[in-house]
Amino acid sequence: MFKFHQVKHIFDTLDKMRCLRKRSTVSFLGVLVIFLLFMNLYIEDSYVMEGDKQLVRETSTHQLNPERYVHTFKDLSNFSGAINVTYRFLAVMPLQRKRFLTIGLSSVRRKKGNYLLETIKSIFEQSSYEELKEISVVVHLADFNSSWREVMLQDITQKFAHHIIAGRLMVIHAPEEYYPILSGLKRNYNDPEDRVRFRSKQNVDYAFLLNFCANISDYYVMLEDDVRCSKNFFTAIKKVITSLVGTYWVTLEFSKLGYIGKLYHSHDLPRLAHFLLMFYQEMPCDWLLTHFRGLLAQKNVIRFKPSLFQHMGYYSSYKGTENKLKDDDFEEEPFDIPDNPPASLYTNMSVFENYDASKAYSSVDEYFWGKSPSTGDVFVIIFENPIVIKRIKVNTGTEDRQNDILHHGALDVGGDIRYFKQNRQCVTYIRLGEFKNGNFEVSDVNQKIPFDIHCMRIYVTKTQKEWLIIRSISIWTS
């Protein structure tokens, strides 16, 4: 168990570190960085203000006086202040405005292989110009070896100068003096001492990265430094977030591996940073992230499929050991992601356990499961606002339960909505077609229906003894 005196020791250490701030001077490397930036600036970028085309290399302080922590996690709102640490800005331009998404990477020197540049390249190449306007990438060069950091900084500024000047890429470092003790730590799970030191430092690396990123954007996604991205991953993430408006969540997962592709609200980052720092020596980072999600009352994993990020490294950053883990749900090529506009859902079918109607409309790996439907049973979607629909696709059944499909049913749409005892209902419907082998798909709906659609319903046309799984309902709007 984590004891009080250990918590106190960590934060006493951090308090002492406040007096260790040092002003950094612009070294020869700084001059070299500026030179490389302008040598690489061949592409005109209207998004960059002309007066901002100067690389800033300086030390800046992110600080709020942290309150003494309560020794319970029943209310994590006490962890809202920033961690007191002075960052070294290795390559940073002032942001003109807050972005939608920050992508955070922490990187250290590896004994074998180096995938950081390929990861950064994948982020930018797999994003459109419009998407890049809403993205910030923050790289924490977290190794204590200054020679390695200088080499990596030169490589990054040579290859990605344009993105640095555009404010899309920032490179930072948290100095070693701000780190807690990394030797003589508890050897939980019988891990060897060097393994405990590695994973404990990694927790602090990420804590300082999260702390820095707290006010850059609305959302934050965590990646490793050896990851490949799917095409237009940003748009996919944004659509998922939009589809979950009004739903409480702490963590959304866009990969099933480790802490790759974990998405958070930026307002939760200070609490998560404190959490990782407090328990830095207890367990690996991905385990702590699971505990954090549970403590903030998100009981179940919310994971999007297909995965948007793939592990591409062959050698681990720990001792260069082989690590060939792959996410078999990853799809690199562009795929058609539905819009699924905000809506309320209703069914008069008997629902099995907690497989409720909303799970069929979600972008994550869930589904609706109802007991044997009867003729006239319905599954209704009522949109918050009338919409123009281009395409509809509904899939029933799963690989494990291939007979739990809608054997006899149809899909209808309605536009004439009325209020009945504070509930909205469409009074008339037009039939778009019948289900075939448990599936339904129709295109060019906007050319077939002469009105904006307020409601959509799945209508059971014949009683069946089998139960019904509605695996996914996908809607593309005009």
Side-chain angles (χ1 to χ4, degrees):
M1 294 295 292
F2 198 84
K3 296 182 174 60
F4 171 80
H5 73 274
Q6 291 169 313
V7 177
K8 184 175 184 299
H9 173 72
I10 292 172
F11 288 99
D12 284 346
T13 301
L14 288 175
D15 286 340
K16 292 176 183 178
M17 288 175 179
R18 293 178 185 175
C19 65
L20 297 177
R21 298 177 190 144
K22 300 177 181 178
R23 292 184 179 179
S24 63
T25 59
V26 178
S27 63
F28 172 75
L29 177 62
V31 176
L32 177 62
V33 167
I34 295 173
F35 175 75
L36 291 172
L37 284 173
F38 285 96
M39 287 297 291
N40 281 275
L41 186 58
Y42 296 114
I43 304 171
E44 192 69 21
D45 191 342
S46 60
Y47 182 65
V48 182
M49 298 293 291
E50 196 62 32
D52 288 329
K53 292 184 177 179
Q54 180 180 359
L55 178 67
V56 177
R57 284 193 93 241
E58 61 180 11
T59 301
S60 181
T61 303
H62 274 223
Q63 63 176 5
L64 287 175
N65 291 327
E67 299 294 331
R68 288 295 175 182
Y69 296 88
V70 293
H71 304 291
T72 176
F73 291 99
K74 292 180 179 178
D75 182 7
L76 283 175
S77 63
N78 295 285
F79 295 79
S80 58
I83 297 168
N84 185 45
V85 56
T86 299
Y87 296 92
R88 290 178 185 164
F89 282 7
L90 305 181
V92 176
M93 290 297 297
L95 288 176
Q96 299 300 313
R97 59 181 176 81
K98 198 171 186 178
R99 307 292 174 90
F100 184 84
L101 179 69
T102 297
I103 302 163
L105 307 167
S106 181
S107 187
V108 296
R109 181 177 47 168
R110 294 170 180 260
K111 291 185 180 296
K112 292 183 181 180
N114 189 315
Y115 312 100
L116 176 60
L117 297 178
E118 285 300 312
T119 299
I120 299 172
K121 180 182 177 182
S122 179
I123 292 170
F124 292 134
E125 285 190 346
Q126 299 291 61
S127 303
S128 69
Y129 180 72
E130 290 303 314
E131 290 173 326
L132 288 175
K133 290 181 180 180
E134 298 298 326
I135 291 174
S136 287
V137 180
V138 179
V139 177
H140 180 201
L141 296 182
D143 202 279
F144 295 152
N145 185 293
S146 60
S147 297
W148 176 84
R149 294 198 307 270
E150 290 175 2
V151 170
M152 289 307 304
L153 181 60
Q154 289 182 39
D155 287 343
I156 291 171
T157 53
Q158 281 180 335
K159 295 179 183 299
F160 306 107
H162 186 62
H163 293 295
I164 294 171
I165 292 175
R168 290 189 284 265
L169 175 61
M170 292 176 269
V171 185
I172 64 168
H173 172 67
E176 183 176 1
E177 63 221 41
Y178 289 94
Y179 279 70
I181 295 171
L182 294 173
S183 59
L185 304 177
K186 292 190 297 182
R187 293 179 57 186
N188 293 343
Y189 317 109
N190 291 320
D191 281 348
E193 186 174 344
D194 59 345
R195 173 68 180 175
V196 172
R197 185 185 190 279
F198 172 82
R199 61 172 170 78
S200 298
K201 179 185 178 296
Q202 190 175 58
N203 285 334
V204 183
D205 294 342
Y206 276 110
F208 288 159
L209 174 62
L210 293 164
N211 182 65
F212 177 84
C213 295
N215 296 310
I216 295 175
S217 61
D218 297 321
Y219 300 95
Y220 172 91
V221 66
M222 181 179 290
L223 296 186
E224 296 183 19
D225 63 350
D226 54 354
V227 167
R228 189 168 76 250
C229 306
S230 68
K231 189 73 174 176
N232 301 120
F233 67 89
F234 172 83
T235 296
I237 289 174
K238 194 168 186 178
K239 283 188 175 184
V240 171
I241 292 172
T242 301
S243 73
L244 293 175
V245 169
T247 302
Y248 177 77
W249 59 269
V250 178
T251 310
L252 301 182
E253 303 188 8
F254 294 90
S255 170
K256 64 182 181 182
L257 298 180
Y259 36 84
I260 297 173
K262 302 299 182 283
L263 182 84
Y264 299 90
H265 296 275
S266 289
H267 60 68
D268 281 334
L269 296 186
R271 290 187 287 186
L272 180 54
H274 282 297
F275 186 74
L276 293 180
L277 197 57
M278 284 195 71
F279 294 103
Y280 77 104
Q281 65 172 310
E282 297 299 318
M283 60 187 70
C285 183
D286 51 336
W287 296 9
L288 288 175
L289 297 181
T290 300
H291 285 293
F292 180 80
R293 185 198 75 216
L295 289 165
L296 290 186
Q298 180 187 316
K299 182 179 178 181
N300 299 316
V301 173
I302 304 176
R303 188 165 78 83
F304 175 84
K305 290 174 66 177
S307 298
L308 302 180
F309 306 101
Q310 177 67 285
H311 178 259
M312 68 175 175
Y314 290 104
Y315 299 103
S316 169
S317 51
Y318 171 64
K319 282 190 170 182
T321 55
E322 285 194 3
N323 181 7
K324 297 182 179 180
L325 283 175
K326 296 295 179 184
D327 188 336
D328 53 14
D329 291 326
F330 173 76
E331 291 184 11
E332 186 167 10
E333 294 302 314
F335 49 89
D336 205 1
I337 302 167
D339 298 297
N340 283 20
S344 56
L345 291 89
Y346 162 79
T347 182
N348 60 353
M349 302 179 206
S350 178
V351 180
F352 176 62
E353 293 186 352
N354 64 337
Y355 294 87
D356 55 78
S358 64
K359 295 187 175 180
Y361 194 63
S362 170
S363 299
V364 295
D365 191 20
E366 301 176 312
Y367 54 81
F368 163 80
W369 201 0
K371 299 178 182 179
S372 306
S374 302
T375 302
D377 282 352
V378 294
F379 185 106
V380 180
I381 301 174
I382 303 175
F383 302 106
E384 284 188 6
N385 299 299
I387 59 173
V388 177
I389 295 179
K390 290 193 301 184
R391 179 180 163 210
I392 300 170
K393 184 178 180 180
V394 181
N395 297 113
T396 67
T398 64
E399 290 185 7
D400 296 335
R401 299 184 178 275
Q402 297 183 14
N403 212 32
D404 284 4
I405 63 173
L406 183 56
H407 293 272
H408 304 280
L411 192 137
D412 309 324
V413 293
D416 187 10
I417 197 162
R418 304 287 175 84
Y419 287 85
F420 298 92
K421 297 181 180 179
Q422 299 182 341
N423 292 323
R424 297 182 304 152
Q425 297 180 22
C426 285
V427 293
T428 58
Y429 282 91
I430 293 177
R431 182 145 297 176
L432 280 178
E434 307 282 334
F435 278 74
K436 295 180 180 180
N437 300 318
N439 299 312
F440 178 89
E441 185 168 6
V442 61
S443 300
D444 301 320
V445 178
N446 52 329
Q447 297 179 21
K448 298 179 174 72
I449 302 300
F451 53 81
D452 290 351
I453 295 171
H454 238 125
C455 309
M456 188 179 97
R457 77 177 180 187
I458 298 168
Y459 187 89
V460 179
T461 56
K462 184 178 180 180
T463 300
Q464 64 184 56
K465 62 180 181 180
E466 297 84 5
W467 288 16
L468 172 61
I469 290 175
I470 302 179
R471 188 170 77 251
S472 63
I473 299 173
S474 302
I475 297 171
W476 289 263
T477 59
S478 179

